[in-house]
Amino acid sequence: MKSTYKLSMVAAVGAIAATTLSVNPASAFSITTGGQAKGSPAGIEGLTTTVSNAVVIDFNDANGSPYSTVNTVSQQGATYSPGNSLVINNGGVLAPTTGAAPYSGPPSGSTDNTSAYLSLPTNSNTGLGSNQVTITLPKLSNYWGLHWGSMDDASANSPANQIEFLRDGTVLATFTPDDLTALGLDVEAGGGPENQGLARANPYVNFFSDNSGEWFNGVRLTQLGNNNNIAFESDNHAYRPVPEPLTILGSGLALGFGAIFKKQQSRRR
C-alpha cells in the first residue's frame, strides 16, 4: 500500500503464469498467478481461487465499521493469531490509523475490491492490528492462495510484504514480491499511486507444495520494516488440506483384515 492509502485489488481475471522456486536442493514450491472474480457484480469481492477442493476465507462476515478484528470472522477451520489483527470492512471509508491506513473504496470505477479484507499495518492507533499474523491450518495442506493487494517489494521506501510457510512452527519456505518478480511472473510491486491499481500489482497468487516434505500446517504473513505508509493487504485466503495418509492406510488395512476374516469364517463353515 502506497502513500495514497488505497487498497486497489483489481478484480479482472489474470492470465495464469507458473514457475517453480527451489527452496533447497530437495524442495520446491510451484507458484502461479490467476484467479476468478468473486461476488456480484463480478469482482466486487476481488479475486478468489480456482483450485478445486480449496477452503476459502473471505472475511465478509466481519462486523463493525470501518474496521474490525480477524477473530470476528469465520476462519473456516483455520486460526488467525493474534486475533486482534485488523480487518477493514468499511467499503471505502478511511480507517483511523496512524500511517498505514487501509482504504478499500474504488478510486476509479467498480474494478476494485470493496469487500472486507485483512490488513497488516506497521502502526495503528486503533488499539487493534499487528504487522504479522500466523494462520494455523487444521490439517497439513499442499496449497495456499490469496488476493495480494498492492504488493510491496523490498526497496528503501517500501519494506516488503512477506509470506512464510510453516510445518509445526518450522519455516519451510519464505517469499516476498521480489521473489515472484525474479521468477518472471507477470506481477508488479513497489509502485506508486499511478500504478498500484493495475491488475499486475494486485494478483491472485497460488502456492503449491510439490511433495509431502513440503506440506504445511501454518502460514505467516508479515509486513516488514517500520514504514508507516505501507501495509500488507490480502483477501480471499484459500487452503487445500491433503488426504490423511494414516486414515487412508487405516481404512485399507481394515478392509484387508475384514476380507481375510470373512475368508477364514467361510472356510470354517
Side-chain angles (χ1 to χ4, degrees), residues 34-58:
Q36 63 185 7
K38 175 177 171 60
S40 179
I44 196 169
E45 298 177 28
L47 296 174
T48 192
T49 185
T50 58
V51 173
S52 61
N53 301 319
V55 180
V56 178
I57 303 162
D58 61 17

Side-chain angles (χ1 to χ4, degrees), residues 163-190:
I163 300 177
E164 297 170 283
F165 292 92
L166 315 173
R167 182 161 178 167
D168 298 332
T170 299
V171 177
L172 301 176
T174 302
F175 302 99
T176 69
D178 300 88
D179 295 314
L180 275 60
T181 301
L183 290 168
L185 289 171
D186 186 25
V187 299
E188 183 169 338

Side-chain angles (χ1 to χ4, degrees), residues 7-203:
L7 172 60
S8 208
M9 303 179 81
V10 179
V13 179
I16 296 214
T19 189
T20 300
L21 175 64
S22 293
V23 180
N24 59 55
S27 176
F29 268 66
S30 297
I31 308 173
T32 70
T33 58
Q36 63 185 7
K38 175 177 171 60
S40 179
I44 196 169
E45 298 177 28
L47 296 174
T48 192
T49 185
T50 58
V51 173
S52 61
N53 301 319
V55 180
V56 178
I57 303 162
D58 61 17
F59 310 104
N60 288 351
D61 56 337
N63 52 49
S65 182
Y67 53 84
S68 185
T69 56
V70 74
N71 59 11
T72 67
V73 305
S74 173
Q75 299 176 5
Q76 300 295 322
T79 301
Y80 284 67
S81 180
N84 70 341
S85 296
L86 199 61
V87 173
I88 305 302
N89 54 310
N90 52 6
V93 179
L94 188 66
T97 62
T98 299
Y103 191 90
S104 65
S108 58
S110 60
T111 58
D112 296 275
N113 183 341
T114 60
S115 68
Y117 61 91
L118 181 72
S119 179
L120 301 178
T122 56
N123 192 2
S124 171
N125 63 7
T126 64
L128 306 174
S130 170
N131 68 339
Q132 183 178 88
V133 66
T134 299
I135 306 154
T136 303
L137 304 178
K139 297 180 180 180
L140 285 176
S141 300
N142 59 8
Y143 164 74
W144 172 263
L146 77 168
H147 190 171
W148 199 332
S150 186
M151 302 172 71
D152 298 309
D153 61 4
S155 64
N157 297 316
S158 177
N161 304 156
Q162 177 180 275
I163 300 177
E164 297 170 283
F165 292 92
L166 315 173
R167 182 161 178 167
D168 298 332
T170 299
V171 177
L172 301 176
T174 302
F175 302 99
T176 69
D178 300 88
D179 295 314
L180 275 60
T181 301
L183 290 168
L185 289 171
D186 186 25
V187 299
E188 183 169 338
E194 69 281 358
N195 61 2
Q196 68 178 12
L198 298 177
R200 301 176 64 245
N202 300 272

Side-chain angles (χ1 to χ4, degrees), residues 210-263:
D210 294 336
N211 58 60
S212 60
E214 299 167 324
W215 293 347
F216 50 90
N217 54 15
V219 181
R220 185 160 58 212
L221 309 180
T222 306
Q223 171 56 51
L224 301 174
N226 57 2
N227 187 328
N228 290 338
N229 292 330
I230 305 299
F232 186 166
E233 306 100 331
S234 62
D235 199 1
N236 299 326
H237 294 177
Y239 68 94
R240 182 179 62 189
V242 296
E244 298 180 14
L246 292 178
T247 300
I248 296 173
L249 178 60
S251 298
L253 288 174
L255 290 173
F257 284 129
I260 293 172
F261 179 76
K262 287 182 179 179
K263 191 171 183 179

